[in-house]
Amino acid sequence: MTFTAPLTLPGLALDPLWYRRAVFYEVMVRSFVDSNGDGAGDLQGLISKLDYLQWLGIDALWIPPIFDSPLRDGGYDISDYHNILPDFGTIDDFRELVTKAHERNMRIVIDLPLNHTSDQHPWFQASRADPEGPYGDFYVWSDTDEKYPNVRIIFTDYEESNWTFDAERRQFYWHRFFSHQPDLNFENPAVHEAVFDVIRFWMDLGVDGFRLDAIPYLYESEEGSGESEPETHEFIRVLRRMMDTEYPGRVMIAEANQWPAEVVEYFGTEEDPECHMAFDFPVMPRIFYSLRSQSAAELNRVLSETTETPEGAGWGVFLRNHDELTLEMVSEEYRQAMYGWYAYDPRMRVNIGIRRRLAPLLDNSRAELELAHALLFSLPGSPFLYYGDEIGMGDNIWLPDRDASRTPMQWTPDRNAGFSTADPGKLFLPVVQSLVYNYSLVNVESQLAQSRSLLHWVRNVIHVRKAHPAFGLGGVRVLETDHESVLAFVREYAGSGTQFGDAPERVLCVFSFAHNPVSARIRLDGDNGQPLWDLFGGGAFPSVRDDGVLELTLATQSFYWLHLGDRRG
Ligand code: GLC
């Protein structure tokens, strides 16, 4: 079966801004469901759980790399862009996944590391063997290891240099990540062509978008930092033009772990757009900082910064993902505070970050988990959940590197947590058996059976969010409060007038990071006397006072989402 533009596929709604309304779910295929008992998850396993994901309210899946790979970096080390790792299945299985997801109005976004390949990729093998051949210039080679001295090392726990000597070619090659992941040479136009071919191949299979993995690192220069160089942005602009012409409706999502002002650049401009979405790396660590410092000041500050983004561009908000909770882009003072709160055991750290899952980070506190999710689902941008966090899965810090939080999904209290029928010793990673997060306690089946479980709570919040387009499409206005622990903002949406018939609406979101109950006054000038209604139960709240102040009491680490103004309908 051939796929054309996804906008014409059965099942998919005709919504050009689908990615702004969508709730995304990052699912590592290897970790989700094993359909054939070989001990590792696969595409058929994922297909078998699409009903669960649909029930949860997921609109789009982000799938980390499933390409052929020696798996020395969780698949981010690709040895063949045109094939799927046999352990995961076949291209036909992938087609089936796309079709079955689309039938449910669910989109598929794949991960696309373009900055580097595995050293097992035939391009690299040819490049090291024959400097004069067609692939001789596909990677960044040098006679010395002294070029680009200003470029930082990312995997500080594993690498001492961004250069590694290749004994065969007798030159050094450049790599921003592991030394088995040589960087492609984007100065070479043939590399652009090869990369465009790869993108077209997957777009033709019907995927709805891709994550531009490690995108800031495409180009390096003698003077620059090797991050967000002008040529890198130029490449993205050209790519976006190709996508808009050949694959309208599909999206590009930037993984740019950079300082706030630099991340915004990955959206490009109105005339010359770059990515449709960018992960909100600036906001993520500040959520964790606020939870422990009991201060809303930092979140207040980043949310108040006005950033010009092109029409249609949107943030990807996340709490955790398959990588460490990165602390690269926070100040040294904050970093040390975060290590103290969240990574008191050195084993919990990796590189410049923390390799733990959400529930253990928050010490399994239900109040904190709810507060963190309430932020995830109401901050400007589209929320990205990480598989397993909806049930508060634990991690295993005795596993190496980021495998700590890539363990098998916990479905049932049965053998291997219902993830696989294999001999438990055969699993690619052991299931979590710790005291608190043991799979016999933390699993989908038992949470389905408890109406008050985290899983049901998360599902409910997702559905409330989706009933209110202001969260996906609206703007944000940060409000002044008189309590340092209280964050308040209004999400406001003028209505679309499209076939969706979205009416204008405003939602007041208030969060308390205090570790005790508090009372706070919030300034809502212009909304004097306006009524407020709880979005969950519909209950009436005290109105904004005639002097434009709203007085609220908040329980320990709690939040409100309140409809502001007269109730609709
Ligand atoms: C990205 C991925 C990470 C990977 C790295 C190198 O940052 O998220 O998992 O290790 O790229 O490929």
Side-chain angles (χ1 to χ4, degrees):
M1 187 188 285
T2 52
F3 290 93
T4 48
L7 291 176
T8 65
L9 286 173
L12 283 184
L14 287 158
D15 180 5
L17 287 181
W18 66 266
Y19 53 96
R20 298 219 16 213
R21 295 175 189 266
V23 174
F24 288 79
Y25 186 93
E26 178 185 9
V27 54
M28 299 202 86
V29 170
R30 202 171 180 218
S31 307
F32 208 51
V33 189
D34 169 14
S35 75
N36 60 3
D38 68 354
D42 45 49
L43 289 170
Q44 285 299 335
L46 172 55
I47 292 170
S48 73
K49 293 296 181 187
L50 288 175
D51 286 343
Y52 164 76
L53 295 167
Q54 186 177 13
W55 169 85
L56 187 57
I58 303 304
D59 304 295
L61 302 181
W62 154 24
I63 305 182
I66 46 171
F67 316 98
D68 221 344
S69 159
L71 293 184
R72 293 180 68 195
D73 179 19
Y76 286 85
D77 48 331
I78 296 168
S79 55
D80 182 354
Y81 284 103
H82 292 92
N83 265 311
I84 286 180
L85 185 78
D87 293 1
F88 294 164
T90 61
I91 292 279
D92 277 340
D93 292 326
F94 185 78
R95 283 203 176 96
E96 189 181 329
L97 171 69
V98 173
T99 308
K100 296 213 161 130
H102 286 174
E103 281 168 7
R104 292 167 170 79
N105 196 24
M106 202 184 281
R107 259 91 175 177
I108 301 286
V109 169
I110 59 166
D111 221 313
L112 217 41
L114 304 173
N115 175 67
H116 48 266
T117 69
S118 159
D119 59 4
Q120 302 306 305
H121 197 293
W123 295 342
F124 187 71
Q125 298 294 332
S127 194
R128 63 155 45 133
D130 184 5
E132 305 306 323
Y135 296 98
D137 215 12
F138 251 54
Y139 295 82
V140 183
W141 294 98
S142 165
D143 290 330
T144 78
D145 58 358
E146 276 149 28
K147 276 171 82 173
Y148 314 136
N150 308 329
V151 178
R152 72 185 169 116
I153 292 167
I154 297 171
F155 285 170
T156 49
D157 282 3
Y158 301 97
E159 300 294 338
E160 284 177 356
S161 167
N162 287 324
W163 292 105
T164 291
F165 187 72
D166 181 52
E168 193 175 337
R169 180 154 157 165
R170 307 211 62 75
Q171 274 188 314
F172 293 92
Y173 61 88
W174 179 252
H175 54 87
R176 288 308 303 276
F177 295 95
F178 290 118
S179 56
H180 57 75
Q181 283 167 318
D183 275 30
L184 285 164
N185 175 19
F186 277 81
E187 305 278 358
N188 179 355
V191 166
H192 294 207
E193 264 170 56
V195 159
F196 272 51
D197 274 357
V198 168
I199 294 169
R200 289 191 176 105
F201 176 83
W202 290 97
M203 291 302 127
D204 290 342
L205 282 170
V207 306
D208 303 289
F210 57 98
R211 168 181 179 267
L212 292 104
D213 174 79
I215 196 67
Y217 316 120
L218 299 190
Y219 283 83
E220 34 282 326
S221 69
E222 234 10 86
E223 321 71 47
S225 66
E227 307 194 357
S228 312
E229 302 267 354
E231 293 85 352
T232 297
H233 284 289
E234 178 55 26
F235 173 80
I236 301 172
R237 286 193 287 269
V238 173
L239 177 56
R240 172 69 186 261
R241 289 199 282 274
M242 181 282 270
M243 291 289 293
D244 282 351
T245 314
E246 296 179 31
Y247 304 100
R250 328 274 184 114
V251 303
M252 294 164 47
I253 309 176
E255 186 218 8
N257 180 13
Q258 303 286 292
W259 293 103
E262 282 146 40
V263 184
V264 179
E265 288 177 13
Y266 286 86
F267 290 126
T269 61
E270 203 77 55
E271 306 71 51
D272 232 345
E274 296 189 14
C275 297
H276 303 78
M277 299 182 82
F279 284 106
D280 200 338
F281 279 96
V283 104
M284 181 276 294
R286 289 172 176 88
I287 296 175
F288 290 94
Y289 185 84
S290 308
L291 288 170
R292 285 289 184 275
S293 68
Q294 306 187 51
S295 162
E298 271 296 298
L299 275 177
N300 223 315
R301 196 178 56 72
V302 285
L303 291 172
S304 307
E305 275 170 16
T306 44
T307 43
E308 290 291 313
T309 55
E311 180 75 17
W315 292 106
V317 187
F318 64 104
L319 298 167
R320 292 295 296 111
N321 62 22
H322 67 288
D323 284 327
E324 67 272 29
L325 191 174
T326 161
L327 299 176
E328 283 160 303
M329 302 297 155
V330 297
S331 71
E332 186 57 30
E333 184 195 337
Y334 280 61
R335 191 177 303 140
Q336 290 312 325
M338 304 266 288
Y339 276 143
W341 290 320
Y342 292 114
Y344 40 85
D345 181 338
R347 194 179 277 283
M348 295 168 175
R349 303 178 191 180
V350 69
N351 304 317
I352 305 178
I354 304 173
R355 52 189 204 102
R356 301 181 73 194
R357 261 194 184 267
L358 184 64
L361 279 166
L362 304 187
D363 213 12
N364 216 18
S365 151
R366 181 66 183 262
E368 284 190 15
L369 283 166
E370 292 188 3
L371 185 57
H373 278 98
L375 282 159
L376 172 71
F377 289 118
S378 61
L379 284 167
S382 308
F384 281 70
L385 286 161
Y386 182 50
Y387 86 91
D389 282 348
E390 74 273 27
I391 54 168
M393 246 172 75
D395 50 32
N396 182 348
I397 56 169
W398 287 274
L399 294 174
D401 197 355
R402 291 154 291 166
D403 281 352
S405 47
R406 297 177 182 179
T407 60
M409 177 70 177
Q410 297 169 193
W411 294 102
T412 71
D414 304 331
R415 169 157 47 124
N416 300 326
F419 159 76
S420 167
T421 56
D423 185 314
K426 202 178 169 189
L427 294 194
F428 81 103
L429 287 177
V431 291
V432 170
Q433 307 193 42
S434 65
L435 216 48
V436 179
Y437 303 96
N438 194 299
Y439 66 88
S440 61
L441 301 168
V442 179
N443 62 72
V444 172
E445 189 180 27
S446 68
Q447 295 206 12
L448 281 174
Q450 296 165 261
S451 62
R452 295 287 171 139
S453 65
L454 182 66
L455 177 60
H456 280 295
W457 187 89
V458 169
R459 176 178 186 259
N460 187 39
V461 181
I462 290 177
H463 284 81
V464 171
R465 175 192 161 93
K466 288 168 66 164
H468 297 276
F471 288 120
L473 304 174
V476 67
R477 186 159 51 91
V478 183
L479 305 174
E480 193 187 313
T481 81
D482 71 347
H483 198 296
E484 57 167 5
S485 300
V486 176
L487 174 73
F489 54 77
V490 180
R491 300 298 316 274
E492 36 200 2
Y493 177 55
S496 71
T498 67
Q499 76 270 30
F500 294 97
D502 298 331
E505 70 169 345
R506 292 188 302 149
V507 180
L508 170 65
C509 305
V510 187
F511 309 84
S512 171
F513 297 104
H515 294 180
N516 294 294
V518 298
S519 149
R521 274 143 297 276
I522 301 166
R523 287 222 70 89
L524 272 155
D525 296 319
D527 283 312
N528 314 40
Q530 287 290 327
L532 291 151
W533 315 85
D534 172 43
L535 238 47
F536 290 86
F541 264 59
S543 302
V544 181
R545 288 192 325 223
D546 287 342
D547 62 357
V549 169
L550 174 68
E551 202 163 341
L552 284 177
T553 51
L554 290 117
T556 304
Q557 297 178 307
S558 65
F559 76 98
Y560 296 122
W561 287 356
L562 304 172
H563 175 82
L564 176 58
D566 284 331
R567 191 137 56 156
R568 285 182 285 155

